[in-house]
Amino acid sequence: MFQQIYGWIQNITVYLIVTAAVMHAIPGKDYGKYIRFFSGLILILLLATPILNLTDMKERFDTLYGNSEYEMEKQEIESVDEFYKNAGLSGYLQTDESYEPGIIIQEDDQINVGEIEIGRE
């Protein structure tokens, strides 16, 4: 228990030292407010870490983030695919069935290159 508290305090201390060094290293004050805002958000997460670990919210946040990220990527891929179909460009894309690359992966995990062409035709 004390090791976890010690590690938590140590993480916060190191983070504050690094943040102070970054604040002194930036030339000018233009970006200071952005760095303070961003570092404040990270500090809030560091302070909330033990609470999240005690209530098992960390795993829930990881699951929710992973699922939402997956859904966003899936929607982006589907929208790009729909765009290509609507633009009539899907004929130029090779699908898995018609794709025959010059690289052949054999069973012993070695890669053999069939042919490489460099330059303009």
Side-chain angles (χ1 to χ4, degrees):
M1 179 70 178
F2 288 113
Q3 287 290 70
Q4 292 175 345
I5 294 173
Y6 178 73
W8 178 60
I9 292 173
Q10 188 177 18
N11 287 339
I12 291 173
T13 305
V14 169
Y15 176 73
L16 290 175
I17 291 170
V18 169
T19 303
V22 168
M23 288 300 293
H24 289 291
I26 41 174
K29 302 294 179 189
D30 296 337
Y31 297 109
K33 62 181 176 180
Y34 301 112
I35 293 174
R36 270 186 262 123
F37 175 73
F38 182 71
S39 63
L41 291 176
I42 294 175
L43 183 61
I44 290 170
L45 288 175
L46 281 174
L47 292 172
T49 300
I51 297 167
L52 293 176
N53 286 339
L54 287 175
T55 59
D56 290 333
M57 290 297 288
K58 185 178 180 189
E59 287 85 20
R60 291 182 192 171
F61 281 130
D62 290 341
T63 304
L64 288 174
Y65 175 73
N67 289 341
S68 66
E69 184 178 356
Y70 170 75
E71 287 299 322
M72 287 177 16
E73 288 179 9
K74 180 180 169 186
Q75 289 174 355
E76 183 179 343
I77 290 170
E78 288 173 353
S79 68
V80 169
D81 185 45
E82 188 67 29
F83 173 76
Y84 282 135
K85 286 180 183 176
N86 291 339
L89 299 173
S90 60
Y92 294 106
L93 300 175
Q94 295 177 342
T95 61
D96 290 334
E97 296 86 24
S98 66
Y99 185 65
E100 296 178 11
I103 299 175
I104 302 168
I105 300 177
Q106 295 179 348
E107 292 180 12
D108 55 356
D109 294 334
Q110 292 183 354
I111 299 175
N112 297 326
V113 179
E115 182 176 332
I116 297 177
E117 294 180 19
I118 299 176
R120 298 181 185 181
E121 293 182 22

